[in-house]
Amino acid sequence: QTITSTGNTATISVPATTVGVTTFSLLGVQDASATACYQPQTGLASIEVVAPPPIYAGVDFTVCEGDDIVLTASGGVGYVWNGGSVQDGVPFPATQTDTFVVIGTNPTGCINTDTVVVTVSPIPLPSFVADTTMGCAPLEVTFTNTTLGGPLTDCVWTLSNGAILNG
């Protein structure tokens, strides 16, 4: 490959997809003037192209609205979440479903990204009605779940008298 330089600087493009070490050998220098004098030279320059780090944002998950979220990336030495609005490993409240993007770097400064989707489930506003509210002992009452957006399934209901109902 012939390279044209300006002054003492020559620029060579190394294919970014070629990971590893590439060695360039200087064979000679030719004057760009009208005389075009050529002088054989020897010299080596080794260039290393480093693979981007295998950044991992974690698996997608679901939390309840208001719960704290902690995002922790791996695979690099430094991380920036959503442009710096989220700190790696620092809890923050869940407010809405979102896709979080992390940019990670390796020790040589190479970067890579990954994403994680956090689905935020709204807090249910529980509501139920009793099929009867008065009767003779022994009284059996059936509660029906009337929660909006429901009925919720696989719930644990804790009542004011300490009773715990499943369903």
Side-chain angles (χ1 to χ4, degrees):
Q1 175 179 7
T2 300
I3 301 164
T4 304
S5 65
T6 303
N8 293 331
T9 304
T11 303
I12 301 171
S13 292
V14 179
T17 57
T18 306
V19 174
V21 176
T22 302
T23 302
F24 294 91
S25 299
L26 176 62
L27 303 176
V29 176
Q30 184 173 353
D31 183 357
S33 69
T35 59
C37 296
Y38 179 83
Q39 180 179 11
Q41 295 287 320
T42 57
L44 297 174
S46 293
I47 309 298
E48 182 178 6
V49 176
V50 180
I55 301 303
Y56 180 63
V59 296
D60 298 348
F61 62 96
T62 301
V63 297
C64 292
E65 183 179 4
D67 284 355
D68 276 346
I69 299 171
V70 177
L71 299 177
T72 305
S74 61
V77 295
Y79 310 99
V80 176
W81 286 92
N82 283 32
S85 64
V86 174
Q87 300 282 324
D88 194 66
V90 177
F92 63 97
T95 57
Q96 66 185 23
T97 296
D98 205 348
T99 300
F100 295 90
V101 179
V102 63
I103 300 171
T105 59
N106 65 10
T108 60
C110 296
I111 64 170
N112 204 353
T113 63
D114 194 21
T115 60
V116 63
V117 176
V118 178
T119 302
V120 177
S121 294
I123 297 174
L125 298 173
S127 173
F128 60 91
V129 295
D131 67 341
T132 185
T133 58
M134 185 169 60
C136 297
L139 179 64
E140 185 173 308
V141 178
T142 300
F143 292 103
T144 302
N145 182 356
T146 58
T147 303
L148 292 177
L152 300 175
T153 59
D154 298 323
C155 296
V156 176
W157 297 79
T158 305
L159 305 181
S160 61
N161 68 353
I164 297 176
L165 306 173
N166 293 305

